[in-house]
């Protein structure tokens, strides 16, 4: 369409998580439903018929590329794991994500594929069933096209449940503090 051969879309690993994940509903509540809208965009891209690659990094960081720090890169495609199996808390440098976006443009195996990426500090062990390398070019050949349709999730329901839980905890905390203040002030007046 209009001379576009490939679309590379950058979202986030939270888009691949279930809407019931606390991380997802916190992101939705704090960041204007960003996970919901990223997922919706991914659905529309898949339905468009365009040749696409969706890149879902975990925790963008402002530090040097993995190979400069001696860290390893991990890549997972959605076709191999519908839900993220990579360690989400490790993060990844913006430079590594930019490099991956450029690399996937030149590799035909990444057509109509969704990939998730993180970097792993050298002192951490690579999770079982994950492959690690110092360069994307060593990992990209294992990418396979998406095999399942992506569907919307009920973000509002889970976010409201999460908000209710947070509200309940805050109310209980406020009640406990108020009661403690009352007890202390009553004891001080005696």
């Amino acid at each position: 369409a209009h001379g576009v051969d490939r679309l590379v879309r950058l979202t986030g690993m939270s888009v691949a998580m279930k809407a019931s994940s606390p991380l997802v509903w916190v992101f939705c509540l704090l960041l204007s439903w960003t996970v919901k809208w990223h997922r919706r965009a991914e659905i529309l891209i898949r339905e468009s018929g365009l040749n696409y690659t969706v890149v879902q990094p975990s925790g963008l960081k402002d530090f040097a590329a993995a190979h400069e720090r001696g860290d390893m890169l991990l890549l997972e495609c959605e076709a191999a794991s519908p839900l993220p199996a990579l360690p989400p808390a490790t993060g990844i440098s913006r430079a590594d994500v930019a490099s991956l976006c450029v690399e996937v443009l030149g590799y035909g195996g990444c057509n109509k594929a969704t990939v998730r990426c993180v970097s792993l500090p050298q002192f951490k062990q690579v999770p079982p069933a994950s492959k690690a390398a110092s360069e994307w070019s060593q990992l990209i050949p294992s990418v396979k096209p998406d095999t399942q349709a992506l569907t919307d999730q009920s973000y509002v329901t889970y976010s409201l449940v999460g908000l209710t839980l947070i509200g309940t905890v805050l109310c209980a905390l406020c009640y406990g503090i108020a009661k403690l203040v009352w007890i202390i002030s009553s004891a001080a007046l005696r």
Side-chain angles (χ1 to χ4, degrees):
H2 301 294
V4 176
D5 293 330
R6 168 85 66 79
L7 174 68
V8 176
R9 171 79 161 109
L10 180 63
T11 61
M13 195 178 301
S14 59
V15 175
M17 296 176 178
K18 291 184 177 185
S20 58
S21 166
L23 177 69
V24 171
W25 49 260
V26 167
F27 272 21
C28 282
L29 289 171
L30 297 178
L31 301 173
S32 302
W33 303 98
T34 187
V35 178
K36 172 186 176 176
W37 297 118
H38 278 303
R39 187 173 184 98
R40 189 68 193 131
E42 286 188 24
I43 291 168
L44 292 172
I45 289 168
R46 287 181 182 203
E47 291 173 353
S48 74
L50 284 173
N51 212 355
Y52 68 88
T53 303
V54 175
V55 177
Q56 298 176 333
S58 173
L60 292 174
K61 307 282 185 184
D62 287 321
F63 48 61
H67 71 274
E68 294 174 21
R69 296 186 327 274
D71 293 350
M72 299 301 288
L73 297 169
L74 281 76
L75 188 69
E76 168 184 83
C77 65
E78 185 178 292
S81 179
L83 293 174
L86 295 176
T90 59
I92 190 166
S93 79
R94 285 176 164 77
D96 286 327
V97 174
S99 173
L100 176 60
C101 289
V102 171
E103 288 272 344
V104 299
L105 284 171
Y107 185 73
C110 292
N111 293 343
K112 299 190 180 210
T114 302
V115 296
R116 301 178 195 113
C117 56
V118 299
S119 62
L120 195 64
Q122 55 191 349
F123 60 86
K124 288 196 174 186
Q125 190 172 9
V126 176
S130 293
K131 294 177 187 162
S134 58
E135 299 290 332
W136 293 122
S137 59
Q138 299 165 312
L139 299 170
I140 288 177
S142 67
V143 173
K144 299 192 179 3
D146 296 331
T147 56
Q148 297 179 0
L150 194 61
T151 58
D152 270 331
Q153 297 187 54
S154 183
Y155 294 103
V156 174
T157 302
Y158 287 107
S159 295
L160 290 176
V161 168
L163 187 59
T164 302
L165 288 172
I166 291 169
T168 302
V169 169
L170 289 176
C171 285
L173 186 62
C174 289
Y175 174 77
I177 291 171
K179 188 165 184 157
L180 183 62
V181 168
W182 182 78
I183 291 170
I184 291 171
S185 62
S186 294
L189 292 175
R190 289 185 189 166

